[in-house]
């Protein structure tokens, strides 16, 4: 059975963003069943978990054939077994890999820097000084990204693929801002991706244990994705 690690609970700002969502979504699109192995913050530093994920993070993945960490690599692995996530021809596969790495390497670092400022350091002087430059860079990248998308629905080969899972997830990490709304084609793209039944199932399954934990322990901060 395929197994994906995920957190039992995370604070509201992270709910709907944790990277096991990428893997859950890919599995749902591919029609592959899986178990989620829920871990707590206390498990992250254990030797047993570090053997699966050297940084103590989620997700880690196993399917009886391989053991993996790194959400992008895992999604790419799953995509190799499903033409719903990656076409069979070389040119088509190359485009999926290209856009998948574009999401992780050309967009995510800037989005992550902005999120780190806003969500963890908003009250610090250095963050206030740095933020305008970071937002300007995010906007520059989103402008280029919107131009690259043009009239297409999806980034690689104009058909939904693993690359769109990564790109959508990265763009969702700007949900705490209004930035994506200023790029209407990208806003429509994210909405189109989020409307997919596979995404909705993946998101609901990530959120389920968080809600259960909050019901059991009302002391945890409530909130949703
Ligand atoms: N590059 C890794 C990053 C994984 C990652 O950042 N996971 C976060 C959740 S989204 C995590 O486990 N954070 C807890 C921590 O770093 O201690 C991947 O894409 O799998």
């Amino acid at each position: 059975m395929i197994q994906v690690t995920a957190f039992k609970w995370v604070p509201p700002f992270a709910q709907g963003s944790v990277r096991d969502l990428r893997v859950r979504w890919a599995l749902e699109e591919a029609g592959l069943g899986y178990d989620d192995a829920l871990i707590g913050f206390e498990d992250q530093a254990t030797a047993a978990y570090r053997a699966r994920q050297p940084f103590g993070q989620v997700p880690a993945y196993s399917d009886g054939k391989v053991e993996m960490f790194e959400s992008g690599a895992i999604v790419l692995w799953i995509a190799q077994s499903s033409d719903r996530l990656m076409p069979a021809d070389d040119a088509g596969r190359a485009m999926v890999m290209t856009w998948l790495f574009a999401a992780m390497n050309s967009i995510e670092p800037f989005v992550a820097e902005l999120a780190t400022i806003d969500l963890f350091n908003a009250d610090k002087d250095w963050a206030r000084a740095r933020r305008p430059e970071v937002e300007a860079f995010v906007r520059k990248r989103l402008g280029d990204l919107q131009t690259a998308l043009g009239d297409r629905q999806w980034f690689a080969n104009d058909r939904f693929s693993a690359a769109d899972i990564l790109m959508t997830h990265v763009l969702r990490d700007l949900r705490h801002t209004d930035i994506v709304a200023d790029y209407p084609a990208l806003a429509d793209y994210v909405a189109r991706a989020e409307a997919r039944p596979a995404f909705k199932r993946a998101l609901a399954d990530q959120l389920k244990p968080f809600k259960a934990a909050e019901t059991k322990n009302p002391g945890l901060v409530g909130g949703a994705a």
Side-chain angles (χ1 to χ4, degrees):
M1 186 63 167
I2 295 173
Q3 189 196 66
V4 182
T5 66
F7 284 126
K8 288 178 198 164
W9 183 80
V10 294
F13 74 84
Q15 298 186 7
S17 283
V18 192
R19 285 173 174 80
D20 58 279
L21 182 62
R22 301 171 172 185
V23 179
R24 292 175 187 269
W25 186 4
L27 291 168
E28 291 285 353
E29 293 281 357
L32 296 169
Y34 67 96
D35 284 334
D36 53 6
L38 301 181
I39 68 164
F41 302 133
E42 68 284 0
D43 299 310
Q44 289 182 264
T46 62
Y49 193 67
R50 292 286 163 138
R52 300 192 64 186
Q53 215 293 0
F55 312 108
Q57 298 180 308
V58 305
Y61 167 96
S62 60
D63 62 13
K65 199 145 81 169
V66 300
E67 302 253 345
M68 300 181 75
F69 59 95
E70 285 300 335
S71 59
I74 299 166
V75 170
L76 193 50
W77 170 255
I78 296 164
Q80 297 194 59
S81 65
S82 171
D83 68 359
R84 295 186 210 165
L85 291 172
M86 191 155 76
D89 65 293
D90 281 350
R93 293 162 77 85
M95 267 304 138
V96 172
M97 291 178 197
T98 298
W99 277 108
L100 185 144
F101 275 86
M104 290 186 301
N105 285 354
S106 297
I107 308 295
E108 184 165 34
F110 307 103
V111 169
E113 190 177 356
L114 192 66
T116 301
I117 287 175
D118 291 348
L119 301 176
F120 300 111
N121 298 288
D123 55 344
K124 314 244 171 70
D125 286 345
W126 68 262
R128 276 192 282 269
R130 173 92 180 115
R131 194 184 187 289
E133 199 177 343
V134 176
E135 180 174 337
F137 207 90
V138 167
R139 287 183 175 279
K140 182 175 180 313
R141 277 292 148 99
L142 294 194
D144 290 343
L145 190 63
Q146 178 166 260
T147 301
L149 183 62
D151 296 333
R152 288 175 296 137
Q153 300 259 303
W154 307 111
F155 277 98
N157 316 301
D158 202 8
R159 58 169 269 201
F160 181 84
S161 75
D164 298 301
I165 291 178
L166 269 294
M167 193 64 85
T168 301
H169 190 276
V170 168
L171 293 175
R172 277 172 57 79
D173 279 351
L174 290 168
R175 280 177 299 151
H176 67 286
T177 75
D178 294 329
I179 295 174
V180 174
D182 291 340
Y183 303 84
L186 294 182
D188 289 351
Y189 165 78
V190 171
R192 195 156 50 240
E194 290 177 341
R196 295 179 72 82
F199 171 81
K200 290 184 183 168
R201 286 195 298 272
L203 181 61
D205 284 343
Q206 177 179 91
L207 297 180
K208 211 181 300 167
F210 305 159
K211 301 303 153 214
E214 286 160 10
T215 306
K216 218 156 81 181
N217 180 359
L220 293 170
V221 186

